[in-house]
């Protein structure tokens, strides 16, 4: 397989728009790099889909980003990180190009969690697919065996964000319901992971209903810090990431729809191109 060898942008992939919160966090810390964001909006959401389907879709997206010059791709999607990352790292990368890398967003959060909880009881709110995969449980317990993890799926939270209802009164019911559920399952929780990249846009509602003393853990800042440390450990990969401070946006759906949604996540106008994955 002939892939471009000259330095290229850092690829960031998500099934939809939530990965824009990851992109935003990374750009805040590492603004000098070029970025290529790909949203598979035509086939979103990934959350309810099977492992095999998520793996197939994610594999297509990663390969597309490699073909477009990326040497490093970050799966800015919890579902893809949970269901596809390991298979791509173990099965596909050795065949495609042993020098390319694909990173997920679950491990950086798991690495940070040890210093963020005093009670050693942690809650995870995420999509059904991420909760069912138990990826957070496995990653956190691998690094911190003493931490008790309790997960709750929040199936209506993503639509609330994407249909611009995050600030509406209807969101209160669904946010309160899931927070009450996770705290009822384990009242000792003192740190709550937002295990979906859409959820930070519900932050005012989450803060409103979360018990006093429970810390909220969004992912963007931890992924950005982890990437910075990754570059320090792997200067060869850092050299393959171009530095022009540019961002390019791709979607498999309507560019105008993506542009409208991107304003919700990024608060800026963006130029978007449509592509197809196969």
């Amino acid at each position: 397989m002939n892939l471009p060898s000259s330095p290229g942008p850092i690829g960031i992939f998500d099934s939809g728009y939530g990965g824009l919160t990851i992109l935003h966090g990374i750009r805040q810390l590492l603004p000098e790099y070029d970025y290529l964001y790909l949203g598979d909006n035509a086939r979103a959401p990934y959350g309810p889909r099977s492992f095999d389907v998520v793996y197939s879709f994610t594999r297509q997206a990663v390969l597309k980003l490699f073909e477009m010059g990326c040497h490093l791709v970050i799966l800015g999607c919890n579902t893809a990180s949970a269901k596809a990352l390991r298979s791509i790292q173990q099965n596909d990368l050795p065949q495609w190009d042993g020098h390319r890398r694909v990173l997920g967003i679950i491990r950086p959060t798991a690495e940070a969690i040890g210093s963020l909880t005093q009670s050693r009881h942690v809650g995870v709110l995420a999509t059904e697919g991420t909760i069912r995969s138990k990826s957070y449980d496995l990653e956190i317990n691998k690094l911190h065996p003493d931490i008790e993890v309790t997960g709750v799926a929040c199936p209506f939270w993503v639509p609330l964000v994407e249909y611009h209802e995050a600030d509406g009164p209807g969101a209160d019911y669904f946010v309160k319901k899931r927070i009450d559920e996770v705290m009822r399952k384990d009242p000792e929780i003192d740190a709550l992971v937002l295990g979906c990249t859409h959820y930070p846009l519900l932050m005012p509602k989450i803060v409103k209903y979360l018990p006093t003393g429970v810390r909220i853990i969004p992912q963007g800042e931890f992924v950005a810090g982890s990437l910075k440390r990754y570059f320090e450990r792997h200067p060869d990969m850092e050299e393959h990431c171009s530095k022009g401070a540019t961002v390019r946006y791709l979607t498999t759906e309507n560019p105008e729809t993506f542009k409208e949604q991107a304003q919700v996540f990024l608060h800026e106008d963006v130029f978007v191109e449509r592509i197809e994955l196969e």
Side-chain angles (χ1 to χ4, degrees):
M1 181 177 296
N2 295 319
L3 296 172
S5 58
S6 57
I10 298 169
I12 302 200
F13 168 69
D14 185 24
S15 58
Y17 305 104
L20 293 169
T21 61
I22 299 297
L23 171 63
H24 176 73
I26 294 174
R27 286 178 66 198
Q28 292 291 106
L29 186 63
L30 303 168
E32 67 272 26
Y33 295 91
D34 294 314
Y35 297 94
L36 181 57
Y37 183 93
L38 170 56
D40 188 13
N41 307 89
R43 300 187 293 195
Y46 280 15
R49 294 185 183 273
S50 69
F51 273 77
D52 289 343
V53 170
V54 171
Y55 166 57
S56 176
F57 288 176
T58 305
R59 186 180 184 277
Q60 292 168 8
V62 169
L63 188 54
K64 174 64 73 172
L65 289 167
F66 282 168
E67 290 171 349
M68 297 182 75
C70 300
H71 291 257
L72 173 67
V73 172
I74 297 169
L75 303 185
C77 172
N78 283 277
T79 302
S81 294
K83 295 184 176 182
L85 176 63
R86 185 160 302 189
S87 294
I88 289 174
Q89 289 176 332
Q90 295 178 350
N91 302 335
D92 297 310
L93 285 181
Q95 299 180 41
W96 290 343
D97 184 335
H99 300 291
R100 312 244 166 185
R101 293 291 179 267
V102 180
L103 305 177
I105 59 174
I106 293 175
R107 187 174 180 85
T109 309
E111 289 173 345
I113 201 75
S115 62
L116 301 174
T117 172
Q118 296 295 318
S119 70
R120 316 309 280 174
H121 289 254
V122 171
V124 177
L125 300 179
T127 64
E128 184 181 347
T130 298
I131 294 298
R132 194 185 299 125
S133 74
K134 293 192 175 295
S135 293
Y136 273 97
D137 308 53
L138 294 170
E139 286 294 337
I140 290 173
N141 289 147
K142 192 186 303 178
L143 299 167
H144 315 285
D146 62 318
I147 292 180
E148 183 78 23
V149 182
T150 301
V152 166
C154 307
F156 293 103
W157 285 25
V158 169
L160 284 171
V161 171
E162 296 200 348
Y163 287 98
H164 307 284
E165 294 294 335
D167 297 324
D172 288 76
Y173 170 80
F174 293 105
V175 171
K176 183 178 187 300
K177 180 178 181 180
R178 299 309 176 189
I179 289 177
D180 287 350
E181 181 180 349
V182 75
M183 296 306 301
R184 186 169 59 251
K185 283 187 171 183
D186 185 354
E188 293 187 58
I189 287 171
D190 70 348
L192 187 64
V193 176
L194 302 185
C196 173
T197 51
H198 282 70
Y199 295 177
L201 276 78
L202 288 162
M203 192 69 79
K205 305 287 189 188
I206 295 169
V207 170
K208 180 178 177 181
Y209 294 109
L210 200 63
T212 303
V214 179
R215 182 171 188 167
I216 303 171
I217 305 173
Q219 296 176 294
E221 61 186 276
F222 300 113
V223 173
S226 179
L227 179 58
K228 187 174 186 292
R229 293 189 296 275
Y230 179 84
F231 281 153
E232 291 168 356
R233 296 194 308 271
H234 302 279
D236 53 329
M237 178 55 68
E238 194 274 340
E239 291 173 1
H240 277 92
C241 297
S242 55
K243 301 177 183 68
T246 65
V247 189
R248 186 179 173 192
Y249 298 92
L250 308 173
T251 178
T252 56
E253 193 39 285
N254 186 315
E256 286 303 313
T257 302
F258 186 100
K259 183 176 179 179
E260 180 182 329
Q261 291 284 356
Q263 288 182 323
V264 176
F265 288 84
L266 301 175
H267 306 292
E268 63 179 89
D269 282 325
V270 300
F271 175 74
V272 188
E273 304 165 63
R274 186 180 182 277
I275 64 164
E276 292 189 6
L277 296 176
E278 55 185 34

